[in-house]
Amino acid sequence: MERRKFLKHMVAGGAAPYFLNGLPLSAFGAINEAALGDDKVLVVIQMAGGNDGLNTIVPIDQYANYATNRGKIALKENALLSIPQSDKIGLHPSLSPLAELFEEGKANIIQDVGYPDPDFSHFRSTDIWNTASDSDKQVLSGWAGRYLASDNPDFPNNYPNEQHPDPLSIQIGSVVNTSLQGPVYPMGMAISDPDFFYELLTEEQGETPTTLAEKELAYLRQVATQTNQYASSIKKAATTVSGQLTYEDESLSQQLKVVARLIAGGLKTKFYFVRIGGFDTHDNQAETGDTSKGEHGDLLAELSNAVLSFTRDLEQLGAQDRVLTMTYSEFGRRIKANGSNGTDHGAAAPMFLFGEFVNSKVFGENPILPSVAGDNESVPMQFDFRSVYASILERWFCVETPQISEVMLKSFQSLPLVQGAPCGFITANEIIEEKEILFKAYPNPLLDFIKLEYLSDGGVNLIQIFNAQGQVIAKPIYAQKTKGWHSDVYDASRFPAGSYFVRWQNNADQKILKVIKM
């Protein structure tokens, strides 16, 4: 196919999205084949709108409190799905395809992921997740874009070339995700054509529309065509694959079908971003007669069906060992249902990872639910989302610690989310032993002070105190500690009466305790 066919309908300057299989696609950068973990792929699914974590993963060990706070949208306990990784949680009934992956040890859950001092604006919180910035900082580059730029310091000069012909990252189904923005360059192009994918395979070209600017538009397309260097590699990857499995005729499924085809076709692209929207469920989240059905259940069904189809397709195409899939949403929902059979913006929510090499367990504990939550009370953060990103860079892409800290703008907790073979941390399929995490905060209820005791493995220890809205109001400890027991006293006399959550973190360990201030 001529390059002008690949880039037709592109706006000069490369700012508009183009389409792959009827879905917009934006390509960025080029592969550095010398990098460790070079053949590994991360597929990121954005659950846009703020997913309700408490109705996605229900804490059945606190079901009575859950049901009281959730009222008419509470899922029935006997409808929840069990998984072998934990007997303390139940999955939403719509997630039965994902339960299949948990049974096979190809999925894990990271409980209550968020960030300190959450912002409940969709736009701003999404920006924070994509840039991996602190909530009070404005950062223009994305976490994945910084990583790609660090591995490709000469980009865009002489990119792509014979050794590096493929896009580094691909966005399907939306405008360019800020995660993929480099520190200097947007590292790519944007083309728009709803029939692009089939035209790419069949070498058909649509007509230039007849307008007063027809000649000028044709010229702009010709110029834009000359900037494209990726048509042949994308077409080669797409046409190499045949015999894909059948996917549902839903947006996310079709996005992932394209991704599976390109991965299996040998495209050496590190990141794929896809998107499913609609998770801003302020009203009519669940049907009154059957709470397993409704808007939220439909969204989770679309997600789980798409992920299972994608997983099975990769397996039969022989590409499953290369792929790790991650979900994220800009925030969670509040503990208490609102008056419209829905939920409002909250602090933290679970993330999922899928793949052959995931450490298939539930990371973290169930959130602590009050018997009656306040109207604005949120599930507190257990894990910083940037710890998830950093751990994927470390254990999937085999990035060294100094580079991770540079990419992530600071150091974050390392979590054993991925097992074995990719970077050699532990043997594949080795069982990671559980250990008792020893952390105490007392007296409880407290008056003027709180005593903190913890058994450290050595290294940095962090203690944060959150209010009921998920905001960090104090950081009593952030220091290097020797291995062994430590005890500190913190003055809490300035805290108003109410509920608080005390979070301790040391290496991969952390624990949250609830305390009451009289």
Side-chain angles (χ1 to χ4, degrees):
M1 172 182 267
E2 298 178 5
R3 287 185 298 167
R4 65 184 176 86
K5 296 180 180 179
F6 183 74
L7 266 179
K8 70 185 183 63
H9 299 325
M10 177 177 173
V11 176
Y18 69 90
F19 288 75
L20 191 63
N21 199 20
L23 300 163
L25 180 153
S26 304
F28 301 78
I31 282 291
N32 178 352
E33 293 183 9
L36 288 171
D38 182 63
D39 64 337
K40 297 296 184 288
V41 176
L42 178 67
V43 178
V44 181
I45 302 174
Q46 179 185 4
M47 301 165 67
N51 179 46
D52 180 12
L54 275 179
N55 265 29
T56 302
I57 301 172
V58 178
I60 57 177
D61 61 341
Q62 300 172 70
Y63 184 81
N65 287 354
Y66 159 82
T68 298
N69 284 298
R70 283 306 168 111
K72 293 181 180 179
I73 68 167
L75 297 165
K76 302 298 183 185
E77 187 171 9
N78 60 7
L80 299 174
L81 303 174
S82 61
I83 57 173
Q85 286 77 8
S86 175
D87 59 1
K88 296 180 179 179
I89 64 171
L91 302 188
H92 191 290
S94 293
L95 295 177
S96 57
L98 297 190
E100 189 174 323
L101 297 180
F102 279 99
E103 290 284 346
E104 298 171 6
K106 298 176 181 178
N108 69 25
I109 294 168
I110 311 152
Q111 290 271 41
D112 305 335
V113 186
Y115 55 92
D117 302 318
D119 192 300
F120 299 128
S121 158
H122 290 290
F123 178 83
R124 177 61 187 141
S125 193
T126 299
D127 187 58
I128 291 167
W129 276 77
N130 290 344
T131 62
S133 66
D134 290 337
S135 61
D136 61 346
K137 301 289 193 305
Q138 295 284 341
V139 176
L140 298 180
S141 60
W143 72 276
R146 292 192 296 271
Y147 164 57
L148 302 180
S150 70
D151 265 8
N152 296 268
D154 295 330
F155 182 86
N157 297 325
N158 301 318
Y159 279 77
N161 52 51
E162 185 176 352
Q163 288 185 318
H164 312 293
D166 298 337
L168 183 64
S169 60
I170 292 176
Q171 165 84 41
I172 299 179
S174 185
V175 297
V176 172
N177 191 300
T178 314
S179 298
L180 301 172
Q181 172 65 41
V184 179
Y185 298 103
M187 303 175 74
M189 73 204 83
I191 311 162
S192 181
D193 181 356
D195 298 316
F196 169 72
F197 184 61
Y198 295 114
E199 290 175 11
L200 180 63
L201 299 186
T202 62
E203 299 194 4
E204 294 178 358
Q205 181 180 8
E207 297 294 329
T208 300
T210 301
T211 68
L212 294 175
E214 178 179 350
K215 291 183 180 179
E216 290 80 2
L217 180 59
Y219 171 74
L220 289 174
R221 288 177 178 169
Q222 183 179 6
V223 172
T225 295
Q226 293 171 353
T227 69
N228 171 56
Q229 303 293 320
Y230 297 116
S232 59
S233 62
I234 290 177
K235 180 186 174 183
K236 180 180 178 181
T239 55
T240 297
V241 175
S242 61
Q244 281 190 276
L245 298 181
T246 300
Y247 287 68
E248 287 195 344
D249 189 22
E250 298 282 355
S251 175
L252 182 60
S253 289
Q254 293 304 307
Q255 292 174 60
L256 290 175
K257 184 176 183 180
V258 171
V259 172
R261 187 167 186 171
L262 295 178
I263 292 172
L267 206 66
K268 293 183 178 179
T269 297
K270 284 184 180 290
F271 290 87
Y272 292 87
F273 274 69
V274 297
R275 182 181 186 276
I276 174 174
F279 284 92
D280 195 21
T281 51
H282 286 284
D283 52 31
N284 300 318
Q285 177 173 319
E287 292 183 4
T288 303
D290 184 353
T291 54
S292 66
K293 298 179 180 179
E295 183 178 350
H296 190 234
D298 291 343
L299 289 166
L300 294 180
E302 181 178 349
L303 171 73
S304 55
N305 286 325
V307 169
L308 183 63
S309 296
F310 179 62
T311 301
R312 297 298 183 232
D313 202 15
L314 291 174
E315 290 170 353
Q316 66 95 24
L317 291 170
Q320 71 274 19
D321 288 350
R322 295 180 54 208
V323 183
L324 180 69
T325 302
M326 177 185 82
T327 69
Y328 81 101
S329 194
E330 65 264 37
F331 43 62
R333 318 299 286 188
R334 295 177 195 169
I335 295 173
K336 188 176 179 180
N338 61 29
S340 302
N341 282 350
T343 48
D344 298 325
H345 301 178
M351 295 176 69
F352 293 101
L353 289 182
F354 308 101
E356 293 292 318
F357 291 105
V358 300
N359 182 11
S360 190
K361 58 178 286 185
V362 176
F363 287 85
E365 300 175 348
N366 281 338
I368 303 169
L369 301 184
S371 55
V372 179
D375 290 342
N376 296 323
E377 193 163 346
S378 287
V379 171
M381 177 196 91
Q382 285 192 63
F383 296 94
D384 195 305
F385 74 92
R386 294 165 293 186
S387 289
V388 178
Y389 294 170
S391 301
I392 288 173
L393 291 175
E394 177 190 38
R395 294 173 179 265
W396 185 243
F397 289 121
C398 310
V399 181
E400 296 293 333
T401 299
Q403 185 182 0
I404 295 173
S405 297
E406 181 180 346
V407 167
M408 299 305 300
L409 308 177
K410 62 175 72 173
S411 297
F412 289 97
Q413 178 185 20
S414 176
L415 304 170
L417 303 176
V418 179
Q419 293 198 73
C423 302
F425 282 89
I426 56 174
T427 305
N429 300 320
E430 178 181 341
I431 297 175
I432 299 177
E433 293 184 3
E434 298 288 343
K435 71 173 185 178
E436 185 180 5
I437 298 174
L438 299 177
F439 172 51
K440 301 176 183 178
Y442 63 91
N444 191 12
L446 62 93
L447 292 174
D448 293 331
F449 69 91
I450 181 170
K451 189 168 185 179
L452 306 165
E453 294 184 356
Y454 46 96
L455 181 61
S456 173
D457 281 338
V460 175
N461 285 252
L462 169 67
I463 296 181
Q464 300 163 305
I465 300 177
F466 294 82
N467 63 16
Q469 287 73 51
Q471 299 167 315
V472 176
I473 60 169
K475 189 162 65 176
I477 303 295
Y478 185 48
Q480 292 276 347
K481 298 287 185 178
T482 58
K483 187 174 182 178
W485 276 101
H486 294 270
S487 178
D488 295 277
V489 176
Y490 185 75
D491 182 1
S493 59
R494 64 183 176 86
F495 293 175
S499 299
Y500 298 90
F501 298 92
V502 187
R503 177 180 182 266
W504 169 70
Q505 173 189 309
N506 171 228
N507 301 324
D509 298 331
Q510 95 271 306
K511 190 176 182 66
I512 288 184
L513 300 174
K514 182 177 181 179
V515 296
I516 305 296
K517 172 69 186 297
M518 299 297 290

